[in-house]
Amino acid sequence: MSSSLIIFIVLIYFLALFAISYFTKGNDDNSTFFSANKSSPWYVVAFGMVGASLSGITFISVPGDVGQIEFTYFQVVLGYMFGYFDVALVLLPIYYKLKLTSIYEYLNTRFGPTRHRTGAFFFFISRVIGASFRLFLVAGVLQIAVFNQLGMPFYFSVLITILLIWVYTFKGGIKTIVWTDALQTFFMLSAVIITIFIILEEMNLSLFESIELVKNSQYSNIFYFDWKSSNDFFKQFFSGAFIAIVMTGLDQDMMQKNLTCKNLEDAQKNIFWFCVILVIANLLFLSLGALLYIYSESLNIPIPQRSDDLYPLLALNNLGEITSVIFLLGIIAAAYSSADSALTSLTTSFCIDFLNIDNSSNKKRIRFFVHIGFSIILFIVILIFKEINNE
């Protein structure tokens, strides 16, 4: 792919995000930024949360891991469902009863201000590192594909990456994120589905034939019952359940979207349908992984040493320019869908948990500078990752 084509794709992608930002920015007040005025449609939140929970790492790693661990990752996904039901039936009623905007406000009610700020502080550490690493990955892709050929240094691609996020989130905040997440989920899942159909066309297979092929392949084993193995069902299932509770139910980034629904009933419907879509999405990722390995074997294409490289290499080198384009859109959407909401949730948590700025406050100027501050922190941490350069 030429640099000009890649730049064009990225520009079209962000123009779509800017358009969403323009129509969803609302009154540019704190209530809009922090809680979307409690007006988000639950079905939009449910669909968008899939993209936020499946990062760029998932987009590449889950299909690649099929060669080593087959479909056993689905055991973790089943555990997710158990954990998400716990979030819907136990945690959400607490959050809505207390009318929370930052979920760490509960710690203040239950344990006092010291525990409240401690919980929020650990959220800052985990989310800054996680979001920075995801942005580090997408900045690296853009650096190789575009900015190296233009003679631009790495810090420039990082600056552009963060600046683009800041521009479409600084007014609408979580109200914008709810809708941009839905668009990004659409791009991510579309990339996977279109890639699957392109592989089927390359191999002259119908959809039903491909299902049988994957089912009868060496990659389709799901359940393992061996307590000595790391792939044991019970280990995987309960790990998935706890991951869902901690990384969604106790995470401001994910729960802030849920708390923008009109009421508890809508938020619980959101979690239920999110589970359904997430299961389907992970089945698509796993099926894509099996087809990538089967396709490589049928054409004697060498399997890369790093399984994470399988999908990118085939998409960019073997499956045509259309696949290259949708893969690029998919990886950008996967990375940005988790990173942009992180910037918004970090700003929200700091304003509420440390500065005591609530939804009714008109201190937009303080929120504005906090948003800039976290953008700068992400920029610095990404450059630190670059200097460490340790995979």
Side-chain angles (χ1 to χ4, degrees):
M1 298 175 66
S2 65
S3 297
S4 57
L5 177 59
I6 294 172
I7 293 172
F8 177 75
I9 293 167
V10 173
L11 285 176
I12 292 297
Y13 175 79
F14 278 101
L15 283 174
L17 296 183
F18 294 151
I20 291 174
S21 175
Y22 177 79
F23 289 109
T24 59
K25 63 183 179 182
N27 298 322
D28 187 24
D29 55 12
N30 284 343
S31 180
T32 299
F33 190 95
F34 295 154
S35 62
N37 307 115
K38 295 287 184 179
S39 61
S40 298
W42 65 265
Y43 45 88
V44 177
V45 179
F47 188 66
M49 280 181 61
V50 175
S53 62
L54 300 175
S55 69
I57 300 169
T58 306
F59 186 77
I60 292 174
S61 294
V62 170
D65 281 345
V66 168
Q68 283 72 47
I69 62 172
E70 301 157 357
F71 274 31
T72 56
Y73 176 66
F74 196 68
Q75 298 175 127
V76 179
V77 176
L78 295 175
Y80 287 166
M81 296 181 67
F82 184 82
Y84 288 132
F85 280 119
D86 180 80
V87 172
L89 299 176
V90 178
L91 295 178
L92 277 177
I94 295 173
Y95 299 155
Y96 269 86
K97 180 181 179 181
L98 296 175
K99 298 180 180 179
L100 303 181
T101 301
S102 167
I103 63 172
Y104 306 115
E105 294 176 281
Y106 171 76
L107 296 175
N108 188 38
T109 303
R110 182 69 176 82
F111 299 110
T114 302
R115 276 75 169 180
H116 174 198
R117 291 187 173 90
T118 301
F121 179 71
F122 277 106
F123 165 70
F124 295 154
I125 294 174
S126 65
R127 189 53 60 192
V128 165
I129 292 173
S132 297
F133 185 70
R134 293 182 179 100
L135 287 174
F136 172 70
L137 292 179
V138 75
V141 171
L142 293 176
Q143 182 67 29
I144 294 170
V146 179
F147 294 112
N148 277 343
Q149 299 178 49
L150 298 176
M152 299 293 186
F154 179 75
Y155 72 81
F156 184 80
S157 61
V158 176
L159 184 65
I160 293 296
T161 299
I162 294 178
L163 182 62
L164 289 170
I165 292 177
W166 187 86
V167 167
Y168 71 80
T169 60
F170 83 99
K171 284 191 175 182
I174 196 65
K175 187 172 183 179
T176 295
I177 292 298
V178 165
W179 289 93
T180 56
D181 274 0
L183 179 67
Q184 290 163 331
T185 299
F186 172 78
F187 278 128
M188 186 196 307
L189 297 184
S190 296
V192 174
I193 293 169
I194 294 172
T195 304
I196 287 174
F197 278 98
I198 288 175
I199 292 174
L200 298 188
E201 185 177 350
E202 290 281 325
M203 298 181 69
N204 294 316
L205 293 172
S206 68
L207 181 61
F208 295 106
E209 287 173 337
S210 69
I211 292 173
E212 284 298 313
L213 182 64
V214 171
K215 181 181 176 182
N216 296 324
S217 72
Q218 59 179 309
Y219 304 111
S220 63
N221 295 320
I222 297 177
F223 299 106
Y224 274 80
F225 295 95
D226 178 8
W227 66 271
K228 295 180 181 179
S229 169
S230 61
N231 289 332
D232 175 64
F233 171 79
F234 294 103
K235 292 179 182 179
Q236 297 280 300
F237 180 85
F238 287 111
S239 295
F242 286 123
I243 287 170
I245 293 169
V246 173
M247 296 189 68
T248 298
L250 303 179
D251 182 84
Q252 172 66 18
D253 189 2
M254 295 297 289
M255 292 312 295
Q256 190 170 349
K257 303 179 184 74
N258 286 268
L259 297 177
T260 66
C261 294
K262 296 177 183 178
N263 51 50
L264 174 60
E265 183 182 355
D266 276 6
Q268 290 174 322
K269 283 192 292 187
N270 153 53
I271 290 290
F272 173 77
W273 285 105
F274 161 63
C275 286
V276 173
I277 302 169
L278 187 68
V279 168
I280 296 171
N282 277 287
L283 278 175
L284 286 172
F285 275 106
L286 291 168
S287 300
L288 172 62
L291 287 171
L292 288 171
Y293 278 98
I294 292 170
Y295 174 77
S296 299
E297 292 163 0
S298 68
L299 296 180
N300 294 317
I301 298 173
I303 303 297
Q305 188 173 1
R306 292 179 68 252
S307 60
D308 284 4
D309 293 336
L310 179 65
Y311 186 16
L313 286 174
L314 291 180
L316 297 173
N317 298 321
N318 297 90
L319 293 171
E321 192 168 58
I322 293 176
T323 313
S324 300
V325 170
I326 64 156
F327 172 79
L328 182 62
L329 278 172
I331 190 66
I332 292 174
Y336 277 99
S337 62
S338 55
D340 55 10
S341 60
L343 182 57
T344 299
S345 61
L346 286 165
T347 301
T348 300
S349 179
F350 190 81
C351 287
I352 292 174
D353 297 321
F354 285 88
L355 302 181
N356 297 318
I357 299 174
D358 57 24
N359 285 358
S360 60
S361 172
N362 60 0
K363 298 177 180 178
K364 294 191 296 184
R365 186 177 178 85
I366 296 177
R367 188 200 76 211
F368 177 83
F369 283 111
V370 170
H371 203 52
I372 291 178
F374 275 110
S375 300
I376 294 171
I377 290 172
L378 292 178
F379 177 77
I380 293 171
V381 174
I382 293 172
L383 294 184
I384 291 172
F385 278 138
K386 174 67 174 175
E387 290 303 312
I388 293 173
N389 195 26
N390 188 325
E391 294 187 5

